[in-house]
Amino acid sequence: MTVPVVREATPERKAEIFGKVVADVRFQDYVHGCYECGICVAACPSARFYDFSPRKITQAVCREDLDLFWEHVNVDVWNCSQCFSCDRCPRGNSPGGLITIMREVAVTAGLRSAKEALEGGERVVYKIMSTGTQVSPDMLQPEAFPDWGPDVQDVSRNLDLWRRALPPETLHTTTTAWEIDDKTLVELYLIWHMTGVLDMIKAVDEGLHMILNDVMEELLEDHDIVVS
Amino acid sequence: MSSPDPNRGGPSAPSTLTAGTIPLEVVHARSFTRNPDLAPIEDIREEVLKLEAEGEWIVQRVPDDHTEVTTKYGRTKKIPNRHTWHHKSCGQCGHIPGYSTAIFWLNRELGTEYNDPRDQTSCTAWNYYASATSNAPAQAAVAMRNFAAAYETGFYPVIHCGTSYGHYKEVREELVRHPDLRAQVRDILARMNKPLVMPEEMIHYSEWIHVMRHEIRKRTVLDLSNITCVVHPACHYYKLVAEDAIYDQEIYGGQRTAIMSQLLETLGAKVADYSTWFDCCGFGFRHVLVQRDFTRSFATLRKIERMKEEANPDVTITHDTGCVTTLDKSQFAAKAHGRNVGIPVMSEAQFAALAMGAHPYRVCQLHWHSTDYRPLLEKMGIDWEKAWAEFESDLDRLRSGKTEFLTWDDANAK
Ligand code: SF4
Ligand code: SF4
């Protein structure tokens, strides 16, 4: 993983990205001003381990401080745990929700910092978008989870056998978390196409976009679905 | 509800408690009365029904056979007792399959008919909260596609993952507040010939277990009175769109969610307190994937070590995918560094199933867990060596080709 860094940008570019955050349909639900009380920081797990503050992020946005906003949207947002402990804000804000929007804007705009932040996670994005389940049993490999101890090796060695030993019929899979109908998958692909998510992927990872597009096109064609 | 037992290495009196710990006696004494008329926010469910009256969508009703509970602001919530459609969790089914299996097993034992669909995708929110490579319309369309699929079966949706549950409540708010978003999602579903359907209530599976606790108790075959549990309530259950979580005056004076704690008490186990109960588990969505140093540190330093020092429990019980994974798997590396860890972690579904006599491997699939659970099983009176030998003989049948899959009958074989 590359650690995302702040790169200089023109005031116009910062204002453009800020404008996209404010224009998000959820922005008015998540940000109502800020008392600077710090309750969100006290509740925040990421604030304990990183130089990170949901208060600072919310404040920067409320004050329209574009330089500070630019730092946050490039670096800090990626340290958030998205736990929403900060939703206890007395002003009714959701700093975590604001961060979700800021991340999304960073991805859609193809910020270099977003590309860096997403490095290493391509496998998961591919899995969820192409199969409809985020993690699969065959992801449990010792090289991927060396810190989880030798049990991961046991699971990986016995994977097929142990999956066949599961009583629910839907769980005999190894490449997806459960068995999903093809028709369901076609509907999911339609959603990715119709909501512009594939375009978001293109903005941050062209290679991944190409692979996903190929996989999806094949199944959509098999079901005579045309997406424009 | 019990305070930490002084004989178990935990603190014996408030004066010795770690800074920040509020003794449970004090929590109880501050009992908190709720008045739904004073709720700080609107009841979104009324808006959901209004939109149905305006022809905007269909509202799938909770089945008549349901139980009423009280939620955070004193409102009433209906929990279906039976006839449920199971929105599975990818992390549970993929990496801790005894979690999902235990939920289904409980349904079978209690005779509450259920549907385990193939026409279901993940909520995709783990990826969304990790990478943000999605957007509000896509997330809402995924949710509403799944709800429409449930509606088509006639079974009522029950959500296994805390994150799916919390995220779908976010989606519900967004769809209620933003007509354009609703229109966009309706168009997408129309392309699939699916109607726009919103469930009357969002239900997490642990709420079903909560209302079934007396039925579970009736069928409990183990004496759990010497088992001390600590509880980690999942952030996305009671913090993300907080108003739907179950609260009960009798549990923590109504000041913390009653989920899991009330079940464990009903089953006769002890529930001990620890100071960082409000902290998240450290999962972090993107952190557990690409920045696991944070996840490990938080899970062990802020959670497991605190639990161990302050309550020294036999088991940590939680009710969400990421929490079980993080709290369990993070302990290996911490142990290697000589830290004070070593608490088995499982869902309350698995724990309740064990209490009812479920097989620890055929049903609860504990071999997928990492932190040593065998001392707990011994203390619960379960002969894990015999159970493992039975499971091994099942595996031999699979290996020999005599059978391709194990079945529910195999799971309950004597
Ligand atoms: S959602 Fe992010 S900002 Fe909010 S408490 Fe969690 S880690 Fe902190
Ligand atoms: S809790 Fe709310 S009002 Fe207080 S500092 Fe955080 S965002 Fe601002």
Side-chain angles (χ1 to χ4, degrees), chain A residues 105-124:
Chain A
V105 167
V107 169
T108 312
L111 297 188
R112 186 122 69 98
S113 55
K115 293 179 191 176
E116 288 161 351
L118 296 186
E119 271 175 28
E122 305 85 350
R123 204 166 61 116
V124 174

Side-chain angles (χ1 to χ4, degrees), chain B residues 259-293:
Chain B
I259 207 79
M260 296 181 288
S261 300
Q262 204 159 13
L263 164 81
L264 295 169
E265 271 203 337
T266 306
L267 296 184
K270 292 196 207 79
V271 182
D273 198 21
Y274 63 105
S275 56
T276 54
W277 66 273
F278 184 83
D279 273 350
C280 83
C281 63
F283 184 68
F285 298 86
R286 79 180 240 96
H287 298 79
V288 76
L289 298 169
V290 295
Q291 258 168 269
R292 221 161 35 247
D293 51 343

Side-chain angles (χ1 to χ4, degrees), chain A residues 5-160:
Chain A
V5 292
V6 187
R7 294 179 177 82
E8 250 330 295
T10 60
E12 292 73 26
R13 176 70 168 156
K14 293 177 187 174
E16 179 202 338
I17 300 295
F18 182 78
K20 287 183 198 293
V21 170
V22 176
D24 187 282
V25 64
R26 296 158 293 179
F27 182 82
Q28 56 189 287
D29 305 330
Y30 292 164
V31 183
H32 307 281
C34 175
Y35 299 141
E36 289 259 30
C37 64
I39 286 174
C40 53
V41 186
C44 174
S46 293
R48 289 187 185 275
F49 279 78
Y50 299 109
D51 180 9
F52 173 84
S53 162
R55 179 191 60 80
K56 275 168 69 182
I57 294 173
T58 313
Q59 270 288 316
V61 168
C62 290
R63 289 205 312 262
E64 302 188 12
D65 182 332
L66 292 185
D67 291 330
L68 211 49
F69 164 80
W70 187 246
E71 275 180 35
H72 294 324
V73 79
N74 278 281
V75 177
D76 301 69
V77 292
W78 297 106
N79 286 331
C80 168
S81 302
Q82 291 282 278
C83 63
F84 299 96
S85 301
C86 50
D87 274 7
R88 65 191 316 182
C89 163
R91 192 70 185 82
N93 297 331
S94 175
L98 168 63
I99 289 166
T100 313
I101 298 175
M102 288 167 72
R103 283 182 175 184
E104 216 177 286
V105 167
V107 169
T108 312
L111 297 188
R112 186 122 69 98
S113 55
K115 293 179 191 176
E116 288 161 351
L118 296 186
E119 271 175 28
E122 305 85 350
R123 204 166 61 116
V124 174
V125 177
Y126 173 77
K127 189 59 110 178
I128 187 70
M129 291 189 66
S130 65
T131 73
T133 66
Q134 161 114 27
V135 292
S136 54
D138 64 358
M139 280 176 161
L140 280 174
Q141 301 301 339
E143 60 276 14
F145 298 98
D147 52 329
W148 282 6
D151 298 320
V152 179
Q153 214 156 15
D154 285 349
V155 171
S156 143
R157 216 179 10 240
N158 293 298
L159 196 64
D160 174 63

Side-chain angles (χ1 to χ4, degrees), chain B residues 74-384:
Chain B
R75 293 175 178 143
T76 300
K77 177 176 183 178
K78 298 182 212 163
I79 313 291
N81 293 334
R82 55 177 65 247
H83 211 67
T84 46
W85 185 91
H86 286 251
H87 183 290
K88 295 179 289 300
S89 150
C90 42
Q92 286 170 27
C93 294
H95 292 179
I96 29 175
Y99 196 153
S100 340
T101 305
I103 298 172
F104 291 134
W105 187 86
L106 288 171
N107 272 273
R108 301 176 80 87
E109 291 297 303
L110 298 179
T112 54
E113 60 284 0
Y114 70 92
N115 183 310
D116 171 11
R118 288 178 172 78
D119 185 9
Q120 184 226 321
T121 68
S122 147
C123 67
T124 75
W126 181 350
N127 174 58
Y128 181 53
Y129 292 134
S131 74
T133 51
S134 186
N135 54 38
Q139 293 306 111
V142 166
M144 298 308 275
R145 200 217 67 80
N146 279 331
F147 288 145
Y151 179 72
E152 285 164 358
T153 67
F155 285 76
Y156 195 86
V158 161
I159 301 165
H160 284 195
C161 181
T163 288
S164 308
Y165 170 79
H167 186 53
Y168 283 176
K169 288 192 292 175
E170 283 190 309
V171 165
R172 176 178 63 181
E173 285 197 352
E174 288 160 19
L175 287 171
V176 164
R177 286 181 185 155
H178 305 292
D180 291 354
L181 186 63
R182 227 163 38 233
Q184 190 181 353
V185 174
R186 190 183 300 107
D187 286 349
I188 294 170
L189 290 204
R191 222 17 234 283
M192 309 166 191
N193 295 316
K194 278 185 156 46
L196 200 60
V197 183
M198 182 59 79
E200 183 184 2
E201 303 272 15
M202 290 293 174
I203 308 290
H204 188 238
Y205 84 86
S206 63
E207 299 177 324
W208 175 80
I209 293 189
H210 176 86
V211 299
M212 285 292 149
R213 64 190 183 280
H214 299 295
E215 292 301 314
I216 294 172
R217 172 71 182 130
K218 273 189 223 159
R219 292 163 175 79
T220 295
V221 296
L222 303 179
D223 174 11
L224 303 176
S225 58
N226 64 339
I227 303 296
T228 303
C229 311
V230 289
V231 163
H232 166 70
C235 298
H236 287 188
Y237 173 71
Y238 76 108
K239 296 174 184 169
L240 178 56
V241 194
E243 65 263 29
D244 299 81
I246 296 178
Y247 284 69
D248 190 299
Q249 209 66 38
E250 300 294 312
I251 299 291
Y252 306 114
Q255 295 179 71
R256 301 184 198 167
T257 175
I259 207 79
M260 296 181 288
S261 300
Q262 204 159 13
L263 164 81
L264 295 169
E265 271 203 337
T266 306
L267 296 184
K270 292 196 207 79
V271 182
D273 198 21
Y274 63 105
S275 56
T276 54
W277 66 273
F278 184 83
D279 273 350
C280 83
C281 63
F283 184 68
F285 298 86
R286 79 180 240 96
H287 298 79
V288 76
L289 298 169
V290 295
Q291 258 168 269
R292 221 161 35 247
D293 51 343
F294 166 82
T295 298
R296 278 193 311 271
S297 305
F298 201 88
T300 53
L301 298 176
R302 287 289 296 182
K303 298 295 288 194
I304 297 292
E305 286 199 339
R306 296 280 72 72
M307 294 170 181
K308 191 96 178 150
E309 278 167 25
E310 298 171 24
N312 195 23
D314 298 303
V315 62
T316 294
I317 299 293
T318 182
H319 63 148
D320 187 21
T321 317
C323 314
V324 173
T325 306
T326 299
L327 294 173
D328 178 30
K329 306 288 185 195
S330 299
Q331 295 186 51
F332 174 80
K335 191 166 189 196
H337 284 97
R339 307 292 311 198
N340 184 20
V341 295
I343 311 174
V345 182
M346 66 179 73
S347 69
E348 94 284 43
Q350 289 165 296
F351 189 75
L354 287 174
M356 277 175 57
H359 199 283
Y361 301 110
R362 289 168 172 162
V363 176
C364 294
Q365 301 281 324
L366 291 176
H367 47 293
W368 294 75
H369 293 233
S370 289
T371 309
D372 192 6
Y373 50 81
R374 293 168 194 87
L376 168 72
L377 295 186
E378 282 167 13
K379 206 167 170 187
M380 290 173 85
I382 298 169
D383 183 346
W384 61 265

